[in-house]
Each structure stands twice: as C-alpha cells, then as structure tokens.
C-alpha cells in the first residue's frame, strides 16, 4: 500500500454507528441496539459505556439516534 493511501486512511472519519458495529461482536451490538430502545437506560450511560470501548461519541448523538 502506498504511503499516501496509508496516511489517508488515518484521516477518514468513520460514521460512529459503523465504528460501533465494527468494534462490537454481534451479541454486544444487539445489546447496544436494545439499549437505544430502552428509555430507562440514559444516553449518558450508553455513551459512557461506548467510550470505555474507545468509541468517541457524544451523549447528544446517542439522543439523536433514539
């Protein structure tokens, strides 16, 4: 792979939802989707958990997904 292409890959922003899907296994991703639908789980709790996995997502983004 060329140096240009390698460098370019580091600058492309992945959609947060796609990054989550790539990061989590199928079962965990299903749990994430279920958590989005469960209004008893706060957006802050979902965001905090995702950030523990290295996903940079704001609580406001989680709220919009809901």
């Amino acid at each position: 792979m060329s140096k240009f292409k390698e460098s370019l890959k580091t600058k492309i922003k992945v959609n947060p939802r796609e990054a989550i899907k790539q990061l989590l296994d199928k079962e965990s991703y299903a749990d994430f989707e279920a958590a989005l639908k469960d209004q008893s789980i706060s957006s802050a709790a979902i965001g905090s958990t995702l950030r523990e996995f290295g996903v940079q997502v704001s609580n406001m983004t989680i709220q919009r997904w809901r």
Side-chain angles (χ1 to χ4, degrees):
M1 183 179 299
S2 74
K3 289 181 181 181
F4 177 80
K5 197 166 190 172
E6 283 181 29
S7 181
L8 184 61
K9 278 188 171 185
T10 65
K11 296 177 178 48
I12 295 174
K13 260 188 128 175
V14 177
N15 175 317
R17 197 121 181 203
E18 186 60 34
I20 294 165
K21 195 171 193 174
Q22 290 174 7
L23 180 67
L24 300 177
D25 57 78
K26 272 187 168 182
E27 184 179 5
S28 295
Y29 188 75
D31 289 342
F32 160 70
E33 296 243 311
L36 284 178
K37 294 175 185 171
D38 185 345
Q39 294 299 316
S40 70
I41 302 171
S42 71
S43 297
I46 296 170
S48 174
T49 303
L50 289 173
R51 286 188 288 278
E52 286 178 17
F53 284 99
V55 177
Q56 294 305 312
V57 62
S58 71
N59 296 344
M60 185 58 88
T61 297
I62 306 271
Q63 289 176 4
R64 281 194 307 265
W65 289 344
R66 293 182 133 178

